[in-house]
Every structure is written in structure tokens, then in C-alpha cells.
């Protein structure tokens, strides 16, 4: 059964390949252009279309990121990127704007695109993904041409405008010396008979994609870019004979597609002059004494900020600078997006089956992002982090909301420095190799982060800042999250309990305000309002002394007014009360949580409570036994310390 299924698939794929690949003469190719003119699209346009075809969206205005990250701009989000890249939609949108204008042959098509940003910000990954998109559209080339050139170059200049009108296209570029030679020698000048083939662009086979790594000055040789003249062939052919050429440089191999310059400014400036001619004249020199060779391709490059600044400060580099479209690629400043990056990287690694306890990646992301942020005058680092993450922040005693735009404008370079994604991945590795049971938790994560900071960060000032962030801000925030989580896990049916406390408080507060008695819901006995109970709740958010009287009557009045209007009221209706009830619930279980989690020997009741809490942590919150044990121990040692 499955064998035949495999065979079907194989056959299907084979047929597809046979059917799709075009092979014919130049005349046939002209026919094809008449039917589908886009077969002769230039590189920028082919790339642009291949990405746009996958679709795009705009961010919904109801999405919190619309205000916090996109600053209410209708940024286009391209599907081709959105599954694999997170938090850099603005970078991608800038890139797409460049590509769009380049694809309509604007000045941009004569510019080099430069992605500039800190290490591990995703520059290489972005370029790789772009290159892969280029692979999705075939090209048509003169069969046997070493640079896969566009067959339209065969048309003599004198005929071009007629063909342009007839086919509704534009033709640019001249025949390469190798094809010119073949045309004359093998085809007697009958260009309509020259063979044309359809080819796939391929990163692996270096067809239409070339990568230029940085090379040191001594070994730098332009043959890497434009190919060489084969000296051994000079015995057979004259010096200007194209048969002596080996066109295997980056601009030859990358013709029709993409030439990528990795860490472009690590190269000598002389080396880079070929880039100028390639963009300016859309041609590169030929090795030996032949004429220039037409080049059609997207030039992508990347570098870090230090290299960029050094390069920019040199006067003599102006000619190149003028031909660069620079796009900054900063780190993410949004916790949620940063976490998605880690999840993606873990998914691609050997670690996909490890257990990662709740909040672990958030903790790491919080640290990374705070290390990238500048201290604001307007709020503390943690608040800023939450605002950037699109969370509603209501600060105690603060009425005016902080505008995210104001925060961003304070520091323009934010996101260009700090802890990299790679640093965090290394810390995750370290945490994991220390773990005995394939489990990492926020606690082992913080430990690993601290030791990585100590080992890897040599700048003492930055090291101290990082340690402060982890040991103070991140740790405190985690303890807060953990305390709430454990307490909630203790209170099974949390909401029900909250609701019953709410009803009971309301009964008592009403009786207190109206100077009457409360009827016990179970025993039906009439008794005086329970002052201790009310005080415990009020105390949870600091209402004490005489202010309690006012609070009680306020709550009663507010609730009964609502009920009279027929509105449904529950414990969440009145925000201050909701917070009180939650704090009360949490503080009321703290004791039991502490006792149960700390004691070595538990009585039956405690055992039951403990196992119920473990069940909630595991089944509802996503812990496993190891991680649940670990966070509980941590909580009892750090939150519920005996004092
Ligand atoms: N915004 C992002 N979305 C998804 N993945 C990301 C993002 N930023 C970084 N990454 C991931 O982080 C890893 C490191 O990124 P990459 O190697 O592309 O960085 P780089 O900018 O080229 O760094 P360097 O300057 O050190 O070469 C990659 O696996 C990449 O997929
Ligand atoms: Mg890189």
C-alpha cells in the first residue's frame, strides 16, 4: 500500500518536472514571451513577485501591537516571512519597499541593499530566507551560457525597439563574450536558432545565487568576483578569445539572482569597486581583455554597526556609500516576539523534546530585552518592557498612561545593542546540560544566565548591569508570578471561591453600613458583621483605620446601584475589590501553601492539598513533575521563608 503511494509521489514529481521545463530555440522563447511576458522579468522583479505571491496582511487595529509596536501605522505583513520571523515586520516592510521600487527599475535597482545590525539580530537568516524565495521562480537562459544570461540579449540593437513594442517588454543588456563567440562560430550568426532552456535558481548548485564571504586583504583577488582567464588555454587561443575565460566569479554565478556579501566591509575597498560598477553600469569587468559583462541581480550585503561606522567615516568611500540602501536590523524589544524566536530556534534544534517549564522563555526574553533597553525618565525598566510588549499597565497612583511613542523617541538607537538571541540560546544549552531530567525551569534558566554573563561579558559595566537585571528585576518579577500561580493552584476552583468571598464580603459590608445583622448562608443564624474577615480583605490592599468605613459603604452603594439596574455583579465588577479579593485569597493560602510545601511529613489533609496542587500545576499550567517540584521548593525557600 505505502510502496505504491511512494511510487505515485515519485512519478507525479517526475512528470511535473518533465512538463514544466522548457527547452527550445530562441524563436520558441520569443513565442513564450508573447504568451507570458513575465518569463523575462529581471531579478529584482522576480524576487519581489515571488514574495508578494505568498500573500500579505495588515495588522488588525484591535491587536495590541498595532499601537505598541506599529505605532498605528498600517504596515504590510508578508506571509512569506511571518511564519519564521518575529518582531521585525518593520525591517521586512522596508526591505519590500526597496524591492518594489527596484522591481520597477527605479534608482533602487542600481543600489546595494545593506542590512546593518548587531550580532544575532537575524541578518543572515533573513538573507537566507530571501534567497530561498528566489529559488521558487525559474529563469530562461541561453543553453550553455556560463552566466545563464537572458536570451533576449541575442537580439541585435537595431531590432530591439520593434520587439519591445510587439511584446510589451523592455530589453536591456548585451550578449556575453562566450555566447557571442558561440553564436558566430557555431550558429553562423543565426541567433534565432540558439538554444534556450528553463533553469531553476538554486542555492546548492550556485545557480543564480552566489555568496561572497569576507576575505583577508592578502588573498583578496577579484577573480572571486568576476572569474579568471585560464592561462593554460593561452597556448591554444589568442588572448582575447572568450574560450580562455572561466566565468565562475560571484557576479557570474549570481547573475539573474542574488549576490550576497557577508560582512561586506571587512573587505578591502578595492575589492568593493566591482560592486560599484555592477550597480552603476549593471556590468562587471571581464577577466582578461574582453568587454564588460552585463549583470542583472540583487546585491544583498550585511554588516554590524561598528564596521559600518568605520567605513562611513572614510572619505574615500563616498562613491560606495552613495549606492547603498541601508536598513537597520535591531533586536526585538517585545517579550512575546522574542519568545517566539526562541521557540523557533529550539524547534529547529535537538532540544525539541525537552521540557520547558512555564515562564522559562519569558524570563530569558525579559532579561535579553531589558539589556537592550535604555533607562527612561518616564518609568522603570519593567514597566517599559510591559508597555513595549503591548500590555496595559496601570501603575499605582498614576492616572496618566505612558505613551509608547514618547518612550521610543527618547532613545533612537534602542535595540541596536545588548544581549543577543544567540547568547540566550547558549544559556538554554547550558541550563539543559546541567539538568538531570531534560527539564529547564525559570530557576535553572536564571542560574545559567548569571553564569553565562559572568563568563562571556567582559565589559565590567555591562556585566554588572546584566547581573542587576537578572538578580533584581527579573527575579522579583518571577517570584511575583510564581507566588500567584502557586496560590491559584492551591485554590482549586479559584473563581468560585473568589465569588463566594465576594458575596460574603458584600453581605458583611452591607450589614456593617446599615448597622444590621448578617444571616449565615449555611446555618441561617443571624450574627453581627464579621469585622475581622472584612479587615483581612481590606488589609490586602492597604485599606486600614477609618478609611475602611467609607470603603465599605462605597462598595455597598456601588454594587446595589448596579443590581437595581438589573446588571449582573460578580467579584470582578469593582476593580479595587477584585484586587483585594485576589490578594486575600492568595494571602490566605500562603500559610497553607507554605506549610504544605515546606513540611517533610504531611498529614492526610495536607497530602491531599499538596497532590491537588501538583495536579493543577501539571494538568492545567503545563509543568511536569520535576519542574513543579523545583518551583515549589524555590517558592518555599524564597517567598515563604520563615522569618
Ligand atoms: N526576529 C527574528 N525572528 C526569527 N528568528 C530570528 C530573529 N532574529 C534572530 N533570529 C534567529 O537568530 C539566529 C541568529 O541570527 P543570524 O545568524 O541571522 O544573525 P546575524 O544578524 O546574521 O548575526 P551576525 O552578525 O553574528 O552574523 C538565527 O537562527 C535566526 O533565525
Ligand atoms: Mg550573520
Amino acid at each position: 500500500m505505502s510502496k505504491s503511494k511512494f511510487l505515485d509521489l515519485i512519478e507525479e514529481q517526475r512528470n511535473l518536472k518533465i512538463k514544466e521545463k522548457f527547452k527550445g530555440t530562441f524563436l520558441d522563447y520569443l513565442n513564450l514571451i508573447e504568451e507570458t511576458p513575465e518569463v523575462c522579468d529581471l531579478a529584482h522583479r522576480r524576487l519581489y513577485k515571488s514574495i508578494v505571491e505568498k500573500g500579505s496582511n495588515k495588522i488588525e487595529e484591535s491587536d495590541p501591537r498595532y499601537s505598541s509596536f506599529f505605532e498605528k501605522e498600517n504596515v504590510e505583513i508578508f506571509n512569506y516571512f511571518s511564519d519564521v520571523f518575529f518582531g521585525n515586520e518593520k525591517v521586512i516592510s522596508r526591505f519590500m519597499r526597496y524591492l518594489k521600487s527596484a522591481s520597477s527599475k527605479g534608482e533602487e535597482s542600481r543600489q546595494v541593499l545593506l542590512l546593518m545590525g548587531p550580532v544575532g539580530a537575524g541578518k543572515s537568516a533573513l538573507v537566507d530566507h530571501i534567497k530561498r524565495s528566489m529559488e521558487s521562480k525559474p529563469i530562461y537562459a541561453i543553453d550553455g551560457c556560463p552566466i545563464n544570461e537572458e536570451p533576449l540579449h541575442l537580439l541585435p540593437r537595431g531590432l530591439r525597439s520593434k520587439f519591445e513594442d510587439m511584446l510589451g517588454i523592455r530589453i536591456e543588456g548585451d550578449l556575453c563574450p562566450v555566447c557571442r563567440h558561440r553564436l558566430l562560430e557555431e550558429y553562423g550568426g543565426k541567433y534565432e536558432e540558439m538554444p534556450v532552456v528553463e533553469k531553476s535558481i538554486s542555492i546548492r548548485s550556485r545557480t543564480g545565487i552566489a555568496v561572497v564571504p569576507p576575505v583577508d586583504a592578502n588573498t583578496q583577488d577579484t577573480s572571486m568576483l568576476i572569474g579568471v582567464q585560464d592561462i593554460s588555454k593561452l597556448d591554444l587561443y589568442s588572448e582575447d578569445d572568450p574560450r580562455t575565460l572561466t566565468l565562475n566569479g560571484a557576479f557570474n554565478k549570481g547573475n539573474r539572482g542574488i549576490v550576497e556579501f557577508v560582512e561586506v566591509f571587512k573587505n578591502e575597498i578595492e575589492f568593493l569597486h566591482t560592486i560599484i560598477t555592477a550597480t552603476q553600469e549593471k556590468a562587471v569587468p571581464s577577466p582578461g581583455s574582453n568587454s564588460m559583462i552585463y549583470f542583472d541581480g540583487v546585491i544583498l550585503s550585511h554588516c554590524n554597526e561598528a564596521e559600518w561606522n568605520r567605513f562611513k567615516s572614510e572619505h574615500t568611500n563616498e562613491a560606495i556609500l552613495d549606492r547603498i540602501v541601508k536598513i537597520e536590523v535591531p533586536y526585538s524589544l517585545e517579550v512575546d516576539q522574542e519568545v517566539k524566536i526562541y521557540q523557533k530556534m529550539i524547534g529547529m534544534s535537538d532540544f525539541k523534546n525537552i521540557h520547558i517549564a512555564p515562564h522559562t522563555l519569558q524570563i530569558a526574553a525579559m532579561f535579553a530585552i531589558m539589556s537592550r533597553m535604555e533607562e527612561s525618565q518616564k518609568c522603570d525598566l519593567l514597566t517599559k518592557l510591559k508597555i513595549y510588549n503591548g500590555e496595559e499597565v496601570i501603575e499605582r497612583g498614576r492616572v496618566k498612561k505612558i505613551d509608547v511613542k514618547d518612550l521610543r523617541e527618547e532613545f533612537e538607537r534602542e535595540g541596536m545593542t545588548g544581549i543577543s538571541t544567540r547568547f540566550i540560546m547558549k544559556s538554554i544549552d547550558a541550563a539543559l546540560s546541567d539538568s538531570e531530567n531534560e527539564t529547564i525551569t525559570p530557576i535553572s534558566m536564571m542560574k545559567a544566565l548569571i553564569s553565562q554573563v559572568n563568563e562571556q561579558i567582559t565589559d565590567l559595566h555591562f556585566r554588572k548591569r546584566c547581573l542587576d537585571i537578572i538578580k533584581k528585576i527579573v527575579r522579583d518579577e518571577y517570584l511575583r508570578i510564581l507566588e500567584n500561580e502557586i496560590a491559584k493552584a492551591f485554590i482549586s476552583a479559584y473563581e468560585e471561591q473568589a465569588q463566594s468571598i465576594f458575596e460574603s464580603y458584600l453581605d458583611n459590608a452591607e450589614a456593617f453600613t446599615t448597622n444590621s445583622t448578617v444571616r449565615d448562608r449555611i446555618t441561617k443564624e443571624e450574627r453581627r458583621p464579621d469585622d475581622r474577615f472584612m479587615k483581612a480583605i481590606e488589609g490586602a490592599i492597604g485599606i486600614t483605620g477609618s478609611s475602611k468605613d467609607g470603603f465599605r459603604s462605597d462598595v455597598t452603594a456601588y454594587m446595589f446601584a448596579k443590581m437595581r439596574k438589573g446588571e449582573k455583579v460578580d467579584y470582578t465588577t469593582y476593580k479595587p475589590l477584585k484586587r483585594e479579593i485576589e490578594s486575600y485569597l492568595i494571602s490566605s493560602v500562603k500559610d497553607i501553601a507554605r506549610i504544605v510545601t515546606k513540611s517533610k511529613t504531611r498529614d492526610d489533609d495536607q497530602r491531599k492539598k499538596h497532590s491537588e496542587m501538583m495536579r493543577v500545576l501539571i494538568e492545567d499550567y503545563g509543568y511536569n513533575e520535576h519542574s513543579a517540584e523545583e518551583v515549589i521548593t524555590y517558592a518555599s525557600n524564597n517567598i515563604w521563608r520563615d522569618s
Side-chain angles (χ1 to χ4, degrees), residues 33 91 95 109 168 172 174 189 249 304 348 402 442 520 547 554 607 635:
I33 296 180
V91 171
F95 168 71
S109 67
E172 58 175 67
D174 293 310
N304 65 39
M348 296 190 309
I402 303 168
D520 191 296
S547 62
D554 280 356
R607 212 177 348 236

Side-chain angles (χ1 to χ4, degrees), residues 146-417:
I147 63 167
N148 293 314
E149 76 180 307
E150 167 60 62
L152 285 170
H153 295 174
L154 287 162
L155 276 179
R157 287 272 165 187
L159 261 181
R160 284 194 183 180
S161 62
K162 282 215 179 72
F163 273 93
E164 285 184 337
D165 290 346
M166 240 161 26
L167 299 169
I169 54 170
R170 289 244 311 111
I171 303 169
E172 58 175 67
D174 293 310
L175 211 53
C176 82
V178 177
C179 289
R180 182 184 311 282
H181 187 265
R182 276 182 67 209
L183 172 62
L184 296 177
E185 296 292 311
E186 290 176 37
Y187 292 86
K190 292 193 119 180
Y191 55 86
E192 70 278 17
E193 286 174 11
M194 282 285 270
V196 172
V197 284
E198 178 186 339
K199 283 193 142 184
S200 306
I201 291 207
S202 155
I203 301 172
R204 233 186 19 202
S205 66
R206 281 184 87 212
T207 310
I209 306 267
V211 181
V212 186
V215 267
D216 77 81
N218 300 322
T219 59
Q220 222 165 55
D221 179 347
T222 48
S223 68
M224 262 188 82
L225 302 179
I226 61 167
V228 285
Q229 185 159 43
D230 189 343
I231 301 176
S232 69
K233 287 191 177 151
L234 287 178
D235 294 344
L236 295 169
Y237 310 116
S238 69
E239 203 188 329
D240 60 354
D241 192 311
R243 281 171 293 185
T244 63
L245 300 181
T246 307
L247 296 180
N248 63 355
F251 281 106
N252 310 131
K253 289 287 179 188
N255 188 38
R256 313 294 305 277
I258 293 174
V259 179
E260 173 190 4
F261 283 83
V262 177
E263 308 195 44
V264 59
F265 299 131
K266 287 219 168 97
N267 294 299
E268 290 294 300
I269 178 75
E270 286 73 27
F271 192 65
L272 300 177
H273 276 299
T274 316
I275 300 184
I276 301 191
T277 43
T279 53
Q280 178 80 348
E281 296 163 38
K282 288 201 89 171
V284 292
S286 152
S289 56
N290 273 285
S291 54
M292 299 279 281
I293 298 176
Y294 174 81
F295 169 75
D296 165 40
V298 183
I299 305 177
L300 298 178
S301 60
H302 36 106
C303 74
N304 65 39
E305 199 170 18
E307 287 160 5
W308 164 255
N309 287 334
R310 194 165 43 77
F311 188 81
K312 201 175 54 170
S313 64
E314 291 273 339
H315 252 348
T316 45
N317 294 340
E318 267 166 15
I320 291 196
L321 286 169
D322 203 37
R323 290 174 177 83
I324 286 177
V325 175
K326 178 179 64 112
I327 296 178
E328 290 190 3
V329 185
Y331 292 131
S332 168
L333 293 173
E334 297 168 285
V335 172
D336 291 351
Q337 304 304 314
E338 183 78 4
V339 166
K340 285 186 195 160
I341 299 176
Y342 305 157
Q343 280 165 339
K344 173 189 106 173
M345 291 167 89
I346 291 168
M348 296 190 309
S349 72
D350 296 341
F351 299 146
K352 19 183 197 300
N353 298 322
I354 60 175
H355 170 73
I356 300 176
H359 315 298
T360 305
L361 299 181
Q362 279 79 0
I363 292 298
M366 278 169 64
F367 161 61
I369 289 173
M370 282 195 256
S371 81
R372 300 166 186 170
M373 295 192 320
E374 303 282 343
E375 295 273 358
S376 168
Q377 300 287 320
K378 300 179 167 53
C379 62
D380 62 49
L381 224 45
L382 185 64
T383 307
K384 186 165 167 177
L385 176 104
K386 290 182 178 176
I387 293 175
Y388 278 3
N389 198 37
E391 294 168 37
E392 284 281 339
V393 180
I394 308 157
E395 270 194 296
R396 242 168 220 255
R398 193 189 281 275
V399 198
K400 195 173 152 281
K401 269 205 349 207
I402 303 168
D403 188 21
V404 69
K405 228 182 165 112
D406 290 345
L407 286 178
R408 283 193 199 285
E409 279 166 7
E410 254 183 317
F411 305 101
E412 285 191 343
R413 288 191 57 260
E414 214 168 37
M416 294 300 278
T417 59

Side-chain angles (χ1 to χ4, degrees), residues 44-45 98-107 109:
H44 286 93
R45 177 171 307 197
Y98 153 84
L99 208 54
K100 185 177 183 183
S101 114
S103 73
S104 43
K105 300 193 188 149
E107 177 56 27
S109 67

Side-chain angles (χ1 to χ4, degrees), residues 54-154:
K54 308 275 188 331
S56 65
N57 289 300
K58 294 247 160 86
I59 181 116
E60 307 259 329
E61 289 189 17
S62 58
D63 191 313
R65 293 188 75 212
Y66 175 71
S67 312
S68 67
F69 178 72
F70 291 99
E71 298 176 42
K72 304 199 173 146
E73 255 181 65
N74 268 316
V75 175
E76 188 117 30
I77 299 173
F78 293 89
N79 296 350
Y80 180 64
F81 293 98
S82 56
D83 289 345
V84 258
F85 288 96
F86 310 102
N88 56 7
E89 292 90 342
K90 283 194 252 182
V91 171
I92 289 162
S93 142
R94 263 172 228 139
F95 168 71
M96 290 304 287
R97 233 181 298 154
Y98 153 84
L99 208 54
K100 185 177 183 183
S101 114
S103 73
S104 43
K105 300 193 188 149
E107 177 56 27
E108 243 94 346
S109 67
R110 292 175 183 271
Q111 301 261 319
V112 179
L113 187 94
L114 172 72
L115 298 175
M116 188 273 278
V119 293
K123 305 180 292 293
S124 302
L126 213 51
V127 172
D128 281 346
H129 201 59
I130 293 166
K131 287 191 294 196
R132 258 198 299 279
S133 187
M134 196 89 215
E135 284 185 319
S136 70
K137 281 193 181 290
I139 51 168
Y140 294 79
I142 297 176
D143 196 9
C145 173
I147 63 167
N148 293 314
E149 76 180 307
E150 167 60 62
L152 285 170
H153 295 174
L154 287 162

